[in-house]
Amino acid sequence: MHVRITTISLSLSCLQLHAQVDCASALPITAGVHQVTAITGDLPDAPRCTTLDQGPATNAIWYSYTAATDTIVEITTSVFGQPQVDTRFHVYHGDCSALSCVVGNDNGGLNGTSRASFSAVAGETYFIVFDDRWSSEAFSFELATIYYVVSNTEAYLSFTSTFINLQGQPRAIVDMDNDGLDDVVGVTQTLVNIHYQQEGGDLMSVAIPTDFAIYPASWSLCAGDLDRNGFKDLLYGGGNGVTFMFATPDGNGFIQRSGPEYVFSQRSNMVDINNDGHLDAFVCHDVAPNVVYLNDGLGNLQFQMGGFGNSCGNYGSIWVDYDNDGDMDLYVAKCGCDANDILMRNDGGGQFVQVAGPLGWNDFHQSWSSAWGDYDNDGDMDVLIGGSNGPYHFLMRNDGNGTFTDRTSGSGLDAFNMQSIEWVTHDFNNDGLLDIVGGGVIMVNQGDLHFAQNTYSPGIGGIGDVNNDGSLDVLGLNGLQLGVPNGNHWLRVALHGTVSNADGIGARVTIQSALGQQIREVRSGDGFRYMSSIMPHFGLGSDEVIDHLTVRWPSGIVQELEGVGVDQTLHLTEPVTTAMKPEIDAARLLVQLDAGEQWLWLKVVGGPSTGQVTLLDPTGKVVATHALTDTGISVGKLAAGLYTARLVVDGHVLVGRFRKS
């Protein structure tokens, strides 16, 4: 069974209607855009329905809506092409003499506008009341309805629709409190609304007021634990800059930080760019080179522009290890400005080199995002580059040697003419093959790089498992689409970094079962706008055991398990050492300064003589990275203090210390 969505919205034409002054004379409306010229009526004789602001108003204006069928109704005062006015509204149900609240909103949209959704029952009438708490200016609002029609086809991939009263846009599915259960998140400029998943799959809504976000998340949202306090922090990508919301140590609040830099933000990500164990942030810049915020581990984020694509039109970024060398590379889908998308290869020494041109990816097109995954389960990352302005998409097979082959022809994607700004990949039917969402449908992976169009669409938004049943769910603009379990087995992995960043972002998880090999990467931010679960998800079909599981952590540490059970969320903490390489167990890192304290020499005794050395200052901040060679490392400019040299060798972390006087 699946649910087909039909959206009815008359957003291209405004209906010039004038509502009446009280409940009895409320003006009936249908789906569409409506203009409010003045607020002159009576206030409701009922409690206000907003949660954060209960302040008084003087007048109100009344509308009524009668549902023709069971549906979800969305009301917003942020209407494209119309002035944005600070508004507040309430939705009531019942008799005019005894009204009860259904939903209300204040500041659920951008710049003081309001947005809320509710579940309407066929034949029932609902009263929509706008008051003048903040303004009596004229404004427009839109009422949209989403109908759900049940069908019995394609039962192997199906969803059920449910209402969720979530405030704010954009939205996310992400584990905010690090308990291994995905939560549902919406943000406004003044609050973070989290629906925490409880044991058993129920959701508990908490609205957390915040300081006013200077830059709203008008373009993108991403999440990660920047300060390692056990709770996810948020990044808002705004049209004029970037705002960070740092979770407080108790997880019950957020501290707002906004920099002075102008950034016309598009897609944003969190990733450990310099692999120092601290999570950094990356933001696509629409009209200038891309920007990064490097984390020193002390809560300080250093803004840098350039080095990751030195032109404009940067829209959809995703961090992916495309060349299987253990570090994260960067791909940016571009929309205009110049012909080439960006593929920056991480050389492991802190340098990123643009290789998209040499790979032949210079066919000019407009794309807002791409979907990277191992579509053929051969152990490397392929990519679907989705078109946003034309009926063409590119499916590129990773050849495993740094090159790609165009496999669009005959893939089913060549005949798929729908456009989209959002392209993501997940295994929705748990068959062990990654599917693709974009253009309003799911393209179901049939194997051998062929995809079939599924007629059901769950919409697009944050993706994760919000009821812990092993079937992926989708959070869109109008409600929550819950994946229906089909009997296939599954596994989710929750990583907890120690040497690496706290969320293990950038790690690769590989499993081997009777179905064969599957790989997933831990990412913060895919698609274009939304944030999906950080936890890797594997579909296993009828397989009841995972023969072998390997985690390659960003630090280089390798963790391996045998005989892993299915249908569970597996929690793994990064080990400082592992017993997988017994020949390294006795290895030691020797550290020696010269007499003038200008040069540092390092040597591994009892182990290999190659690897990447990281130098940390007394506060834990990375001050240098260097390949382990016979030549010394210049340390003459380092200040006095006790320093740590850290070297990862075949899954082991070797540590040595030296003091500068």
Side-chain angles (χ1 to χ4, degrees), residues 348-468:
Q351 300 297 314
F352 289 79
V353 181
Q354 162 72 313
V355 296
L359 288 175
W361 295 6
N362 55 5
D363 181 21
F364 179 77
H365 69 290
Q366 289 192 9
S367 179
W368 287 39
S369 59
S370 60
W372 286 79
D374 187 5
Y375 295 119
D376 51 4
N377 285 344
D378 66 349
D380 48 38
M381 292 293 177
D382 314 301
V383 59
L384 182 281
I385 307 170
S388 62
N389 75 328
Y392 48 85
H393 319 291
F394 299 105
L395 179 64
M396 308 296 290
R397 179 187 182 274
N398 193 329
D399 297 326
N401 59 3
T403 64
F404 292 79
T405 298
D406 190 340
R407 290 290 301 272
T408 311
S409 178
S411 68
L413 292 159
D414 50 343
F416 181 59
N417 296 326
M418 302 299 292
Q419 306 169 26
S420 178
I421 66 174
E422 297 278 358
W423 299 92
V424 295
T425 179
H426 297 271
D427 183 358
F428 287 97
N429 54 13
N430 282 340
D431 66 351
L433 296 171
L434 286 171
D435 311 306
I436 296 172
V437 177
V441 301
I442 295 178
M443 299 295 289
V444 181
N445 194 337
Q446 307 292 296
D448 195 28
L449 293 175
H450 180 77
F451 296 81
Q453 181 174 333
N454 188 59
T455 57
Y456 169 74
S457 169
I460 189 64
I463 295 169
D465 187 356
V466 304
N467 54 5
N468 205 32

Side-chain angles (χ1 to χ4, degrees), residues 135 199 613:
S135 174
E199 293 291 341
V613 178

